[in-house]
Structure formats: C-alpha cells, structure tokens
C-alpha cells in the first residue's frame, strides 16, 4: 500500500495508524488538518481540493522518503482529501512512528509543511458572501497555464 494517498471520500485513521506500529518504534505522532469556518477574517462555507493525482502521489512519496531518512523514522504515511469538503471535515492526516518522540514531532511538522509547499493540490474556498477563491495563486489554479 502506498504511504501517500489521495482520497475522494472520508477515511478512517485507525487502520492508517496501525500500519505505523513497529517493534523499534517507541513513539507515534500525528497531525490532522480540518476545514475551518473562516480564513483571513472571511466566513467560509466549505472548500474543494483538486490535485494532479499522478504527480501529487509521486511528490508525496518523495516527501515521505525524505522524512524517513531525515528523522530516522520507522514508518510514515499521509492521506489528503480531494473533492468537496464541509466545515469540520478531515482534510489531511499525517502519521509517523520512530524510536523517540522528538523525531515524530519534528517529522510531522516537516511532512505537512512540505506537502503544502510541494505537492500539487489546490484549495478552492467558498465564502458566505457568495465569492470563491483559490487560496494559493502562486501555484496557479488547476488547468491554468503559467
């Protein structure tokens, strides 16, 4: 099973966490990112994530490879939702295990930061005033030529 996955439907965390259990691991940390009801002072009704799936999965695997090597992890995984999400929905999950807790804390932060920075997943927020916007214009919207 791939360590980095995109999911068009809600997913369960428990089976993902179970994949991180290893005899050499004395610690586990995870990060959950949820859809919130505001951004930059604007009420948010929901959002949509779109991804260039093949490239996103490949780059996500590279991020996890780097984390495994850099933090001497036993295991690492990440799942990112795509499609329409409502307020409170789980949008992204990162989990890591290692011999010691410090490595897991640092690795979780590294993985989520690098996924947000490097993996081609775009967020389109819908606002209460009827407006909508792509949140990362530097990366360009899906289908947009740069």
């Amino acid at each position: 099973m791939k360590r980095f996955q995109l999911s068009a439907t809600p997913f369960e965390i428990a089976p993902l966490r179970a994949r991180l259990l290893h005899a050499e691991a004395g610690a586990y940390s995870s990060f959950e990112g949820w859809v919130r009801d505001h951004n930059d002072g604007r009420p948010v009704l929901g959002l949509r994530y779109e991804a260039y799936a093949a490239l996103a999965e490949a780059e996500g695997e590279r991020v996890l490879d780097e984390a495994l090597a850099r933090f001497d992890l036993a295991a690492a995984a990440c799942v990112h939702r795509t499609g329409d999400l409502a307020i409170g929905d789980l949008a992204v999950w990162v989990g890591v295990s290692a011999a010691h807790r410090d490595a897991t804390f640092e690795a979780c932060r590294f993985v989520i930061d690098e996924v947000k920075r490097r993996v081609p997943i775009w967020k389109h927020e819908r606002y209460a005033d009827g407006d909508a916007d792509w949140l990362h214009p530097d990366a360009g919207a899906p289908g947009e030529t740069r």
Side-chain angles (χ1 to χ4, degrees), residues 78-143:
C78 179
V79 181
H80 202 297
R81 285 287 309 276
T82 57
D84 292 317
L85 281 73
I87 303 304
D89 282 351
L90 178 60
V92 61
W93 175 86
V94 175
V96 299
S97 61
H100 302 285
R101 68 181 175 268
D102 286 345
T104 67
F105 293 140
E106 291 177 29
C108 264
R109 179 64 178 252
F110 172 83
V111 171
I112 192 60
D113 287 350
E114 291 301 301
V115 165
K116 292 299 179 187
R117 188 174 73 80
R118 295 168 36 188
V119 177
I121 300 172
W122 299 275
K123 184 183 341 182
H124 191 246
E125 281 188 337
R126 297 182 309 279
Y127 303 106
D129 64 8
D131 196 13
D133 200 8
W134 292 102
L135 272 155
H136 305 288
D138 293 344

